[in-house]
Amino acid sequence: MPSLVNPADRRAWPIVRKLTSIGSDGDNDVVLDDGEVGATHAHVRLDAGRFLLLPNGRQHELLVNDRRTKKHVLEHGDVLTLGRTKLRFNLWDEPGTVEASRDALPADELTGYKKLVDFTRRLATRGDLDELLEALMDEVISLTGADKGFLLFMENGDLIVRTARNLNRESIAASLDHVSDSIIGRVVESRAPVIVSDALNDAAFQSSQSVVQLKLCSVMCVPLLFQGTLLGVIYVGNDNVVSLFDDQSLAVLTVFATQAAMLVQNALQQRALRSDNQRLQEALDGQRFGSIIGACDAMRDVYRRVDKVAATDINVLVLGETGTGKELVAREIHRRSPRAKGPFVAVNCGAIPETLMESELFGHRRGAFTGAVENKIGSFQAAEGGTLFLDEIGEMPVHLQVKLLRAIQERVITRVGDSRPSPVDLRLVVATHADLEQAIREGRFREDLYYRINVVSVVLPPLRERDDDVVLIGRFLLDRYARTYDRPITGFTRDAIIALRKHAWPGNIRELENRLKKAVVLADGPMLSPEDLDLDDDLLADRILPLAEAKERFQRRYIDEVLALNHGNRTKTAVDLGVDPRTIFRHLEKVRDDKQRD
């Protein structure tokens, strides 16, 4: 049996519950008389067949094999240090240990527990519920010496035979006609195990019609209980051998059933999660716009705007913070446009050295400069008949902005080293996270180019302003990465969902992607926690702002949004908001001052 052993006095505490508490308080499962040990210092949690050691809070130091840890999957022989006390974790008992609550186990019972450990390990790798149940019954029959066994599930208040196996590990006819209703009725009513050594001669059952018809000899029946809920019963029997089972074998089978109930419950939960994921996918299909996911009001406004501009050929400026999905919007504009069958070419102006940017955009002739060993077409020609997406347009050098303006106005480009212009036919979509109006005032961006690219603007809201979209996107990405990295991650804990909603997401969706990839690869359990996402500190953060500060933040954000919708026209913005134009000018001055201080 899995246990914690104190090497100093050989005392052993069996681990038979899903959550085993360790501490100095007398209510713990493992009580340590150590002044340096917390009231409840740590827990051992049975999780998908593994024993996971967790400290109860950051204030409780925990060492495994003399190394500090926050979370550890226990292996046989691991040494735990809590305060001044050392405990050794054993997957099976060793000679000389004395259980804290009763005498040492008999040898044949010890064999049964070793089988349980082996069974738990193998079962942890199984995902299919039917396979799990068949393996369970095969081990039960092997463990008890029965010639047949049945597992009955409680479904809608009735017991249904789910699995029936014989000693040859074969499925047999499964029906209630093969089991004693009187014995099962006793177990269901009392929630306690029953052993019958000779059913035909047992005063309690010999008059039962089912016992007589089945000619039962030895029978054991134990409940499958999980947190007080009856999941079903395990029923094993032998029609030929009397007194095959005794109290000792019943004790082993009872503990076996306790562990098995946890595993069966886990399988049922996984099946329910798969069903939830299917419903989530169906709901997700109604909350996405092509490859863009989101259902908040701000994103629905984006969808409506994209739908309207996609069918035209006008230039579009996509605005938004880094990581908000500007390229996804550009691709969606292309996909919904008459040019959808043409190429979509994306260029990140901030990632190309200034000396190579002209060649990258417009191409060059062989010999135009050192290293130009052959003719090359640029992005403008590569996007012929389709859409050219220029990301981070605000990073483009001023001298190239002149050539870009000519290309947009005249629909012609001239390759580096060439004197003959070439016509181009494409749709232009550009994007930036920068304040282009501020860049114009500082002489870093041409005003005439700004009005050429900003025929229609699409403003993407940051993730922190998208209500519950962060959870929706998180679940979608989690499912994708779990399949990509072949990891059994099924969802988020309740605290993780709270942390997702509270986090400010300065890196927006790109930050969410990175945190999820890391968590999926490194997480120990099937549900991601705030710790897995490195968001545990967010649960402690106080997100409530004073009313005056909250009003100021909303006002500033709202003015910025209306300015963007009006393409930076301050007078029109003031008219729309019903305020004096000086209010808008003071707002812009404050924004500028804040940026200079940063």
Side-chain angles (χ1 to χ4, degrees):
M1 170 186 282
S3 61
L4 289 173
V5 179
N6 188 335
D9 57 12
R10 308 296 295 170
R11 294 179 69 204
W13 290 268
I15 300 176
V16 295
R17 302 175 58 187
K18 186 169 184 180
L19 194 67
T20 300
S21 59
I22 309 171
S24 58
D25 191 274
D27 292 331
N28 289 288
D29 301 304
V30 179
V31 180
L32 303 179
D33 186 15
D34 185 337
E36 294 182 14
V37 173
T40 299
H41 199 98
H43 296 94
V44 175
R45 186 175 75 202
L46 179 61
D47 189 351
R50 302 175 304 170
F51 294 90
L52 191 62
L53 177 68
L54 299 162
N56 187 34
R58 296 183 178 180
Q59 71 275 21
H60 295 138
E61 187 179 68
L62 192 61
L63 282 74
V64 176
N65 301 327
D66 295 326
R67 296 182 64 180
R68 185 174 299 173
T69 183
K70 292 182 178 180
K71 182 190 301 182
H72 184 79
V73 178
L74 292 171
E75 300 287 347
H76 181 72
D78 281 347
V79 176
L80 290 59
T81 303
L82 301 87
R84 299 188 304 270
T85 304
K86 290 185 179 294
L87 300 173
R88 185 174 63 253
F89 175 74
N90 290 338
L91 278 173
W92 52 83
D93 293 341
E94 297 179 347
T97 60
V98 179
E99 286 195 21
S101 57
R102 59 185 180 92
D103 296 333
L105 298 172
D108 54 350
E109 191 172 349
L110 176 61
T111 301
Y113 286 128
K114 287 183 178 179
K115 276 195 172 186
L116 170 61
V117 172
D118 180 63
F119 169 71
T120 301
R121 282 175 172 170
R122 289 190 293 111
L123 231 60
T125 64
R126 296 176 183 262
D128 182 77
L129 181 59
D130 291 327
E131 289 184 9
L132 183 152
L133 298 179
E134 289 183 357
L136 166 64
M137 291 312 303
D138 288 341
E139 290 299 330
V140 166
I141 292 170
S142 173
L143 178 65
T144 60
D147 60 9
K148 62 179 176 293
F150 302 86
L151 191 144
L152 296 90
F153 263 20
M154 187 69 72
E155 296 183 7
N156 300 320
D158 297 321
L159 279 173
I160 306 297
V161 177
R162 181 63 182 265
T163 303
R165 305 284 283 180
N166 63 17
L167 55 83
N168 295 321
R169 296 180 179 261
E170 299 169 337
S171 296
I172 59 178
S175 121
L176 286 173
D177 296 335
H178 295 80
V179 298
S180 167
D181 53 3
S182 56
I183 294 174
I184 289 176
R186 169 81 67 87
V187 173
V188 171
E189 182 179 356
S190 64
R191 304 288 180 95
V194 168
I195 183 171
V196 183
S197 297
D198 185 357
L200 286 172
N201 296 307
D202 191 301
F205 300 106
Q206 62 181 359
S207 61
S208 169
Q209 184 176 357
S210 60
V211 170
V212 173
Q213 290 177 344
L214 295 170
K215 297 180 180 180
L216 300 177
C217 292
S218 299
V219 175
M220 276 197 303
C221 188
V222 296
L224 288 177
L225 294 169
F226 183 79
Q227 296 181 350
T229 300
L230 181 69
L231 301 179
V233 298
I234 294 178
Y235 179 102
V236 295
N238 191 301
D239 298 343
N240 303 305
V241 181
V242 175
S243 301
L244 176 64
F245 310 127
D246 55 20
D247 290 339
Q248 180 177 301
S249 57
L250 181 62
V252 175
L253 184 59
T254 301
V255 175
F256 194 99
T258 301
Q259 299 284 61
M262 297 178 189
L263 295 167
V264 170
Q265 175 68 11
N266 182 61
L268 290 172
Q269 288 176 340
Q270 288 186 357
R271 187 172 67 174
L273 283 170
R274 284 194 293 269
S275 178
D276 288 344
N277 283 338
Q278 183 177 354
R279 288 195 297 270
L280 175 64
Q281 185 61 49
E282 292 172 355
L284 190 62
D285 290 340
Q287 295 178 319
R288 64 189 307 164
F289 184 76
S291 57
I292 308 171
I293 299 170
C296 68
D297 291 342
M299 288 305 296
R300 291 187 186 279
D301 288 341
V302 170
Y303 302 157
R304 285 190 289 268
R305 203 169 183 86
V306 168
D307 252 340
K308 290 178 180 180
V309 303
T312 69
D313 220 21
I314 60 177
N315 300 332
V316 180
L317 172 62
V318 184
L319 301 169
E321 296 179 5
T322 299
T324 50
K326 295 186 289 294
E327 184 171 341
L328 283 179
V329 170
R331 289 183 180 275
E332 199 59 36
I333 292 173
H334 171 71
R335 193 179 72 83
R336 294 169 182 267
S337 74
R339 297 177 176 270
K341 294 183 179 180
F344 178 89
V345 179
V347 178
N348 187 338
C349 299
I352 303 173
E354 183 175 338
T355 54
L356 299 179
M357 188 175 294
E358 184 176 0
S359 172
E360 182 67 30
L361 292 176
F362 307 119
H364 63 254
R365 292 193 61 183
R366 185 176 62 181
F369 51 84
T370 303
V373 295
E374 60 183 13
N375 293 333
K376 176 189 174 182
I377 66 170
S379 300
F380 269 82
Q381 289 177 304
E384 179 73 20
T387 301
L388 175 62
F389 174 57
L390 299 181
D391 197 8
E392 299 304 342
I393 188 72
E395 303 296 324
M396 180 175 288
V398 175
H399 73 277
L400 281 181
Q401 293 176 26
V402 179
K403 295 189 175 183
L404 176 61
L405 178 63
R406 179 172 180 263
I408 296 172
Q409 286 177 328
E410 301 178 13
R411 296 291 175 174
V412 295
I413 58 99
T414 302
R415 292 185 298 175
V416 178
D418 201 350
S419 59
R420 184 176 54 191
S422 302
V424 289
D425 175 28
L426 53 80
R427 202 264 182 79
L428 185 67
V429 180
V430 301
T432 184
H433 74 282
D435 184 345
L436 293 183
E437 291 191 353
Q438 180 67 26
I440 291 171
R441 288 192 290 271
E442 295 173 357
R444 294 183 289 106
F445 201 85
R446 294 180 61 93
E447 188 171 14
D448 49 1
L449 176 60
Y450 173 74
Y451 290 114
R452 282 291 180 182
I453 62 176
N454 188 20
V455 179
V456 174
S457 63
V458 177
V459 182
L460 295 184
L463 190 56
R464 61 183 172 274
E465 296 176 8
R466 291 179 57 179
D467 302 326
D468 286 339
D469 279 0
V470 63
V471 179
L472 190 69
I473 297 170
R475 284 176 171 157
F476 171 79
L477 294 175
L478 174 61
D479 179 66
R480 174 196 288 177
Y481 297 144
R483 285 186 279 106
T484 299
Y485 301 119
D486 193 23
R487 296 281 293 150
I489 310 298
T490 55
F492 299 103
T493 65
R494 179 177 175 275
D495 283 347
I497 290 176
I498 294 173
L500 286 172
R501 287 173 171 150
K502 283 190 171 184
H503 188 61
W505 299 110
N508 292 292
I509 297 173
R510 192 170 295 129
E511 179 187 353
L512 177 61
E513 289 177 327
N514 290 340
R515 287 181 183 271
L516 282 173
K517 286 180 182 178
K518 175 184 174 183
V520 166
V521 171
L522 299 179
D524 292 315
M527 303 289 283
L528 295 187
S529 66
E531 293 80 7
D532 294 324
L533 296 164
D534 289 334
L535 294 177
D536 47 320
D537 290 339
D538 282 50
L539 292 177
L540 305 176
D542 183 5
R543 302 287 295 167
I544 299 177
L545 299 174
L547 184 58
E549 185 178 348
K551 286 181 177 179
E552 182 182 356
R553 287 193 180 188
F554 173 79
Q555 179 174 307
R556 292 181 62 178
R557 185 169 65 246
Y558 190 63
I559 293 175
D560 287 337
E561 291 174 356
V562 178
L563 274 168
L565 290 173
N566 289 328
H567 313 308
N569 188 317
R570 301 155 190 162
T571 303
K572 188 175 187 310
T573 298
V575 172
D576 288 346
L577 295 177
V579 298
D580 189 286
R582 287 174 293 183
T583 301
I584 307 302
F585 284 99
R586 285 195 295 268
H587 165 78
L588 292 172
E589 288 176 357
K590 183 172 178 55
V591 171
R592 183 193 60 201
D593 293 343
D594 289 344
K595 288 184 177 180
Q596 289 176 349
R597 282 195 296 270
D598 292 341

